[in-house]
């Protein structure tokens, strides 16, 4: 995790980093992506998918809450928890019925379902610097 903080001058640079970094993550990892709209959370998730060799385009799952992607060996669950009204709403999704190990669970707006996240989740904080670059910090 010593690769952080990271600062990117373009969305492509952020995706390229994510595509490589995902290879360092162990199976059954949860990433909690914190940050305002436009800070690069979905762009980063798309880079993670590319690194996992997932061919499907990754877009924000805002309206369907989560999207499942598979590459044959690992599952990517990309969730946007913004519209969830807490852990009870999350429980109603029955996501555990669909998750298969080894997985990478990527959660945008994780503060909405904080109690549902595994304690070992990796928390990434996205922001935009004063000069317009995208920055990612990490906390566990």
């Amino acid at each position: 995790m010593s690769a952080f903080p990271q600062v990117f001058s373009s969305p492509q640079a952020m995706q390229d980093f994510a595509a490589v970094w995902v290879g360092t993550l162990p199976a059954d990892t949860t990433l909690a992506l914190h940050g305002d709209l436009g800070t690069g959370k979905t762009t980063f998730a798309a880079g993670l998918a590319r690194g996992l060799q997932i061919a499907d385009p990754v877009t924000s799952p805002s309206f369907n809450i989560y999207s499942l992607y598979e590459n044959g060996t690992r599952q990517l669950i990309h969730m946007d928890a913004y519209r969830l009204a807490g852990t009870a709403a999350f429980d109603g999704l029955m996501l555990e019925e669909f998750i298969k190990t080894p997985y990478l669970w990527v959660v945008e707006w994780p503060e909405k379902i904080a109690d549902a996240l595994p304690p070992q989740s990796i928390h990434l904080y996205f922001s935009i610097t004063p000069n317009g670059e995208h920055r990612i910090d990490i906390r566990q």
Side-chain angles (χ1 to χ4, degrees), residues 29-53:
T29 296
T30 300
L31 299 179
L33 309 186
H34 301 266
D36 292 334
L37 287 171
T39 55
K41 299 181 299 291
T42 299
T43 298
F44 191 79
L48 296 170
R50 190 179 66 179
L52 292 174
Q53 299 178 345

Side-chain angles (χ1 to χ4, degrees), residues 121-134:
S121 298
I122 299 169
H123 293 263
L124 301 172
Y125 292 82
F126 291 71
S127 60
I128 298 178
T129 67
N131 62 350
E133 294 177 311
H134 292 256

Side-chain angles (χ1 to χ4, degrees), residues 26-30 74-77 99-105 118:
D28 303 342
T29 296
T30 300
R74 193 163 186 189
Q75 185 182 58
L76 171 67
I77 305 98
I99 293 179
K100 295 183 285 187
T101 192
Y103 64 82
L104 175 62
W105 183 23

Side-chain angles (χ1 to χ4, degrees), residues 1-2 9 22 25 32-33 38-39 54 58 60 65-66 69 73-74 81 87 102 111 120 123 125 129 133 136 140:
M1 303 300 165
S2 61
S9 59
V22 72
L25 298 174
L33 309 186
T39 55
I54 293 171
V58 173
S60 178
I65 310 297
Y66 66 88
Y69 304 93
T73 59
R74 193 163 186 189
T87 304
E111 54 278 357
Q120 70 276 16
H123 293 263
Y125 292 82
T129 67
E133 294 177 311
I136 304 174
Q140 279 185 302

